[in-house]
Amino acid sequence: MSAPVPVPLPDVGAELPALRTTLTLTDLIVYAGATWDWHRLHYDPAYLAAHGLPAPVVDGQLFGALLVRQTQEAFGPKAFVRGLHFRFARPVFAGETVMCAARVTARERQPDGTVRVSVAASVEVVGERARVAVAPAGLEVELR
């Protein structure tokens, strides 16, 4: 039996590849179905008009899913997200494009050979109505 290959240490300060996506009404409905969150805020035009909203509001938990996706795509299949936190700054509406940005803030090799990595992140709406949607945000990742 051969010895396990050591997990490479990502550099502190390294930026993860940005994740950019346009969140469509279809995306919101699919996410609502997956999470059983059928609040009318996420899809109902009459409800939105009655509350002065220009379009369906993206479910805030979807941003957590995007941040985890970005991190797992950056670190590969041996990455396990151990912790996630984020704060909503501004609402995002169906049809808007968001970009997740993240960078490594700390790393530490564990006695068992795994690597613990801290990541600072944010989500911004890009385009005509650019704004910060989620900040601060952070993830604790274990690389096996």
Side-chain angles (χ1 to χ4, degrees):
M1 192 171 194
S2 62
V5 176
V7 176
L9 289 173
D11 292 331
V12 172
E15 296 203 13
L16 278 57
L19 174 66
R20 184 181 174 125
T21 188
T22 300
L23 299 167
T24 67
L25 178 57
T26 300
D27 295 326
L28 273 61
I29 292 170
V30 168
Y31 190 80
T35 61
W36 289 82
D37 181 356
W38 293 109
H39 194 288
R40 295 167 51 193
L41 181 67
H42 304 306
Y43 67 88
D44 184 344
Y47 181 87
L48 298 165
H51 290 83
L53 295 166
V57 176
V58 175
D59 185 321
Q61 299 307 310
L62 180 55
F63 300 117
L66 291 175
L67 292 169
V68 168
R69 177 178 149 197
Q70 176 191 26
T71 302
Q72 288 182 316
E73 286 178 0
F75 292 125
K78 301 218 178 217
F80 179 76
V81 176
R82 290 232 175 246
L84 167 67
H85 69 273
F86 54 96
R87 182 175 298 252
F88 306 120
R90 306 274 184 298
V92 177
F93 301 98
E96 291 190 301
T97 300
V98 297
M99 184 173 63
C100 300
R103 66 181 169 72
V104 174
T105 57
R107 66 178 188 190
E108 182 180 355
R109 187 171 300 280
Q110 303 298 302
D112 65 0
T114 61
V115 176
R116 291 283 176 109
V117 178
S118 297
V119 176
S122 65
V123 180
E124 295 185 14
V125 175
V126 297
E128 186 177 317
R129 296 183 56 224
R131 62 195 179 279
V132 174
V134 173
L139 299 96
E140 296 298 321
V141 183
E142 179 179 287
L143 305 178
R144 298 178 182 171

